[in-house]
């Protein structure tokens, strides 16, 4: 048993989609979350800069005495996960492998689509991982650079959001039966994405898939939190506006949270 919290990092509010799943699947665990909304989106930035920012988020989480770190960000996973995982002596999880395995499990036709930020798509990491696991798959990847700004500015219910999602996803229509949401911000747009892709396309939420791996690791290392829901103290930090973060979090999570501003 280990009652320390699990640390989550993201470029902004996207990782909350992973935390929501954690709270659903593993409600006894405690969360420390850092979102770097002041510098989001990460996706269009150079790899070296994303790596530097990710290390800053990791080091922040380490000061909070976490027992495990979850990269609740595909872009950070694509660029920095391997390196960070090698350096730390606590488990470090990313979202890309779980998303890839789930897509292979879900597809009937073998035709998988992946959407993500410019860096995640440029790194080609999903295609590599999927083909490593199952070479007969056909992967079509597409960068959706406008999706993260819609989510960060909490415009997910707007007509602009619908238009942008529709226009971006048009090239995938009729080509795939499974679509990996390869960015943790995208599940916030899930109803629109599902509507555009149609009921025949299964959407894979890479973050939700990752929570299953968190569970496996907690069990394997016997580091589950022993206490129940009492004395649970989740902590959320953002590098930008706490008001905007809280608005999105309160809408998305099953509980009301307090948010603190930090400068990294
Ligand atoms: N949530 C991040 C991801 O999963 C978004 C990255 C960004 O800020 O561009 O990739």
């Amino acid at each position: 048993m280990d009652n320390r919290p699990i640390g989550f990092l993201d470029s902004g509010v996207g990782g909350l989609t992973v935390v929501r799943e954690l709270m659903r699947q593993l409600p006894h665990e405690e969360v420390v979350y850092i979102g770097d909304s002041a510098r989001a989106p990460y996706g269009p930035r150079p790899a070296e800069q994303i790596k530097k920012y990710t290390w800053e988020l990791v080091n922040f989480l380490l000061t909070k005495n976490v027992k495990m770190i979850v990269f609740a960000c595909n872009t950070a996973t694509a660029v920095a996960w391997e390196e960070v995982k090698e350096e730390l002596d606590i488990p470090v999880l990313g979202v890309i492998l779980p998303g890839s395995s789930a897509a292979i499990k879900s597809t009937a036709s073998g035709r998988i689509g992946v959407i993500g930020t410019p860096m995640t798509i440029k790194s080609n990491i999903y295609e590599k991982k999927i083909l490593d696991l199952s070479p007969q798959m056909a992967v079509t990847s597409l960068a959706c650079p406008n999706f993260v700004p819609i989510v960060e500015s909490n415009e997910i219910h707007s007509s602009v959001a619908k238009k942008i999602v529709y226009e971006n996803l048009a090239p995938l229509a009729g080509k795939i039966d499974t679509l990996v949401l390869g960015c943790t911000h995208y599940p916030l747009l899930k109803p629109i994405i599902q509507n555009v892709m149609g009921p025949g396309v299964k959407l894979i939420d890479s973050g939700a898939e990752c929570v299953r791996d968190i569970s496996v690791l907690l069990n394997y290392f016997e580091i589950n939190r022993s206490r129940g829901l009492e004395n649970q103290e989740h902590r959320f930090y953002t590098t930008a506006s706490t008001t905007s973060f809280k608005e999105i979090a309160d809408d998305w999570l099953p509980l009301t949270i307090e948010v603190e501003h930090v400068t990294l």
Side-chain angles (χ1 to χ4, degrees), residues 208-240:
E209 298 301 330
C210 156
V211 175
R212 265 172 234 144
D213 285 14
I214 297 176
S215 179
V216 170
L217 281 185
L218 291 174
N219 290 332
Y220 182 80
F221 290 112
E222 298 182 354
I223 52 172
N224 295 284
R225 186 168 180 271
S226 63
R227 283 182 248 137
L229 297 173
E230 69 282 359
N231 305 321
Q232 212 176 17
E233 205 192 307
H234 303 299
R235 279 164 292 162
F236 290 85
Y237 300 90
T238 176
T239 56

Side-chain angles (χ1 to χ4, degrees), residues 54-90:
T54 305
W55 268 112
E56 287 171 11
L57 299 174
V58 167
N59 287 329
F60 174 81
L61 288 174
L62 292 175
T63 67
K64 303 294 170 196
N65 194 27
V66 293
K67 63 182 169 188
M68 174 189 287
I69 290 183
V70 179
F71 277 36
C73 176
N74 288 263
T75 311
T77 306
V79 170
W81 176 64
E82 296 276 355
E83 182 179 303
V84 173
K85 178 169 68 92
E86 291 304 311
E87 291 284 319
L88 301 195
D89 53 11
I90 53 172

Side-chain angles (χ1 to χ4, degrees), residues 82-142:
E82 296 276 355
E83 182 179 303
V84 173
K85 178 169 68 92
E86 291 304 311
E87 291 284 319
L88 301 195
D89 53 11
I90 53 172
V92 182
L93 261 112
V95 276
I96 289 174
L97 270 174
S100 303
S101 316
I104 294 168
K105 201 164 134 200
S106 145
T107 185
S109 67
R111 287 179 296 138
I112 298 170
V114 178
I115 52 174
T117 67
M119 177 52 77
T120 301
I121 298 304
K122 197 171 95 187
S123 74
N124 216 17
I125 187 153
Y126 268 103
E127 184 165 352
K128 282 186 213 144
K129 297 286 178 203
I130 290 171
L131 296 182
D132 263 5
L133 293 167
S134 184
Q136 73 276 23
M137 297 289 135
V139 181
T140 310
S141 304
L142 187 68

Side-chain angles (χ1 to χ4, degrees), residues 159-170:
S159 54
V160 178
K162 285 192 189 122
K163 187 169 178 287
I164 289 177
V165 172
Y166 182 82
E167 283 172 4
N168 268 260
L169 298 185

Side-chain angles (χ1 to χ4, degrees), residues 10-11 14-15 40-44 72-75 117 120 148 182-185:
D10 182 44
S11 63
Y42 277 14
C73 176
N74 288 263
T75 311
T117 67
T120 301
V148 170
C183 170
T184 53
H185 282 69

